[in-house]
Every structure is written in C-alpha cells, then in structure tokens.
Amino acid sequence: MAFIKRLGYYLVGLSIGIVFLTFFLKNKSKETNSEFCYFPNCRALKDLRSKPISFSDQVNEDMKVNGLDTLNITKFLKDGEVDFSQSDTKTKPCKTYIVEGELKDAPAILKFKNCSNKVILEEINR
C-alpha cells in the first residue's frame, strides 16, 4: 500500500476521532457544569468563586452607596483578570489577589484575601 494512501486513511480516522472527542467532552462539560481551566488566571478566579465570600465594612458601605450586590461581584469574578504582579500569592494563611475588570460597566480593581475556607473582599477601587 502506498504511503499516500496510508496517510489518507490515518487522517480520515484522526479527524473522525477528533469530532467524536469534542462532541463527548462538550456534552460532559454541559452536564456536569464543569469548566476546563488550566491557565493561572482561570484557576485563581475559579478558586475565588468556589468559596463563600464575606465583605469588609468599607466594602459593605461602598456596595450600598454604588448599588452593588453579590451578583455583580460574582460576574466580576467570572470575567475579571488577576494582576499577579501586584498580588501577593506567597503569604500565609491568606493569599491576596488583585483582580481587574468591569463592575457595572465601569473599570474597577478589587482586592481579595483568599483564605483556606473563605474569601474576603477587602477593597473596591473604581
């Protein structure tokens, strides 16, 4: 059998396998509501979203004044970008993350303390 013919069979089989694999993985992620994130930004935000969030007194006042609620913060944690150059990820027991993004269609920077069992939102800078 010629090399070109074998290569053709291989490529056809490979393409069919890739189509089936993407179809099954897409269905699995929809069923389990899971997300495949391997980049540092995605992993940090997913860790922040997975824990209960509490707010500092200053943040509670800012939220009342600006008309913010927890849904806005949750959306911010879904779409934001972690600034690792300003974050302090080596401290113990709580790591500090600076997250940049949009909060009610305005640019904002939020400072989170990520402890082992909870997340504390310390500052909102607009």
Side-chain angles (χ1 to χ4, degrees), residues 92-105:
K92 296 208 177 178
C94 299
K95 301 174 183 178
T96 303
Y97 288 101
I98 306 296
V99 183
E100 300 174 347
E102 287 193 3
L103 197 57
K104 282 192 127 179
D105 298 327

Side-chain angles (χ1 to χ4, degrees), residues 13-26:
L14 181 67
S15 62
I16 290 171
I18 288 174
V19 168
F20 279 118
L21 186 63
T22 56
F23 176 75
F24 288 127
L25 286 179
K26 196 177 287 187

Side-chain angles (χ1 to χ4, degrees), residues 1-14:
M1 187 180 290
F3 175 73
I4 299 294
K5 203 172 195 180
R6 286 185 292 176
L7 183 63
Y9 285 131
Y10 172 76
L11 291 176
V12 167
L14 181 67

Side-chain angles (χ1 to χ4, degrees), residues 65-90:
V65 169
N66 295 320
L68 300 173
D69 60 1
T70 56
L71 292 176
N72 298 115
I73 304 299
T74 304
K75 185 179 183 310
F76 187 87
L77 284 175
K78 189 110 178 124
D79 301 332
E81 294 287 326
V82 178
D83 186 357
F84 287 102
S85 64
Q86 293 182 4
S87 299
D88 189 8
T89 59
K90 304 289 185 202

